[in-house]
Amino acid sequence: MEQIIVAYWSGSGNTEAMAEAVGQGISEAGKEARVESVDALQPSQLEDCPVFALGCPAMGDEVLEEEIMEPFVEAVEKFAEGKKIALFGSYGWGDGQWMEDWTERMKTAGARIVGDKGLIVNETPDEEGLASCRALGRELAAAAE
């Protein structure tokens, strides 16, 4: 069975919890999930994957984490065309502009965003937020068929 990779960067653990819940949703849908920090992956490992998920919290002035995640996403943009990608992340303030920007950026690169927009959760995901993440995982698994 082909794995669906859920790649994420997390500073406080909130986006990691979201990633684990996305992975649970993938498993609930009968697919195999591989949940990994981007520290443990090379962007090229996603190149042959038709579907995958990327997670990153809002940082600073509502941007992606700049040291690790931004270069990872820049590399993914080069082969994103035709891929089905789920985006997710947590935020502490603001209105989610970083996710709107990231979604538009990936669409411009030719990706199809699963759910048509990124999933955001304020601060630590509560049960409702985790349920939304699991639903996103199930949707991602369905997109793999």
Side-chain angles (χ1 to χ4, degrees), residues 79-98:
F79 59 79
E81 187 163 352
K83 306 288 186 189
K84 297 172 186 173
I85 304 173
L87 302 175
F88 63 92
S90 64
Y91 68 102
W93 59 274
D95 61 2
Q97 186 62 46
W98 105 99

Side-chain angles (χ1 to χ4, degrees), residues 5-88:
I5 296 175
V6 179
Y8 70 91
W9 184 90
S10 187
S12 66
N14 294 340
T15 300
E16 181 178 12
M18 293 177 74
E20 292 293 341
V22 171
Q24 288 170 2
I26 292 167
S27 297
E28 289 169 3
K31 302 285 185 188
E32 184 179 348
R34 177 179 168 196
V35 181
E36 293 277 354
S37 169
V38 293
D39 295 327
L41 292 171
Q42 294 297 317
S44 60
Q45 290 175 271
L46 299 175
E47 197 163 356
D48 293 330
C49 299
V51 300
F52 53 89
L54 298 173
C56 184
M59 301 294 290
D61 191 22
E62 289 208 71
V63 296
L64 297 176
E65 189 279 328
E66 296 174 312
E67 300 286 319
I68 299 167
M69 193 66 181
E70 179 60 36
F72 192 93
V73 170
E74 285 176 3
V76 169
E77 281 179 294
K78 293 180 174 102
F79 59 79
E81 187 163 352
K83 306 288 186 189
K84 297 172 186 173
I85 304 173
L87 302 175
F88 63 92

